[in-house]
Amino acid sequence: MADEAALENSKPGMIVSHPNPMDVLVGRGISYTSFSGNQRWNRLILAHLEKYSESSNNFEKTCITVEIVNQVRGYKGRFLTRTDEGWEILEDARARGKVAMCFRNTRRAQLMSAAAASGGNDHNANVPSTQPSATD
């Protein structure tokens, strides 16, 4: 119950000492991509990737990023970035920016993987993973 009350009082800019399992940790590396909240978020990104990629304008893409942020918030997740003081809760605009960046990076990685698989890319060593990540 105390944890639930703490989540209800979470506001952008607040510092929290520990992320909860539903939070999205913004950063790079295995400790971020393996975090349970990031894995759930990655599944959301992949589920919406085609719709985002086929969007014809920025308004549609923004609506999709808002939907993703709202879904994360709906299951009591927060977007957190590491600071010297702890974990800072990101405001919605920065969270949407991270979602949009993840969509772009995931789409680019898929295109590069497809090109490499078809022999159209000689730079196989530079092909990023298709695993979405919440990067800084």
Side-chain angles (χ1 to χ4, degrees):
M1 292 270 183
D3 289 339
E4 192 169 311
L7 284 175
E8 293 297 322
N9 294 324
S10 295
K11 300 203 182 324
M14 264 182 74
I15 302 295
V16 296
S17 57
H18 301 304
N20 76 57
M22 299 300 198
D23 290 334
V24 174
L25 307 182
V26 176
R28 301 176 83 169
I30 191 71
S31 62
Y32 290 88
T33 57
S34 64
F35 188 74
S36 61
N38 287 51
Q39 290 179 350
R40 184 174 184 158
W41 179 58
N42 291 339
R43 289 189 298 274
L44 283 174
I45 294 292
L46 292 173
H48 290 82
L49 183 61
E50 184 175 350
K51 183 168 70 169
Y52 185 87
S53 298
E54 293 174 355
S55 296
S56 60
N57 60 57
N58 285 338
F59 178 75
E60 290 176 2
K61 290 181 179 189
T62 299
C63 289
I64 295 167
T65 63
V66 167
E67 181 181 343
I68 297 290
V69 170
N70 287 340
Q71 286 181 351
V72 170
R73 300 247 195 261
Y75 60 71
K76 305 294 186 209
R78 304 167 292 187
F79 287 82
L80 305 177
T81 188
R82 189 78 164 134
T83 68
D84 291 338
E85 295 83 29
W87 293 93
E88 179 183 354
I89 301 171
L90 297 183
E91 67 275 1
D92 284 352
R94 282 185 62 198
R96 287 191 312 269
K98 297 303 179 184
V99 170
M101 181 189 314
C102 190
F103 273 125
R104 290 189 302 269
N105 290 345
T106 302
R107 181 67 180 144
R108 182 175 50 241
Q110 286 184 342
L111 292 172
M112 291 175 70
S113 293
S118 68
N121 184 349
D122 293 332
H123 305 289
N124 290 340
N126 295 326
V127 175
S129 166
T130 58
Q131 178 75 22
S133 67
T135 58
D136 284 320

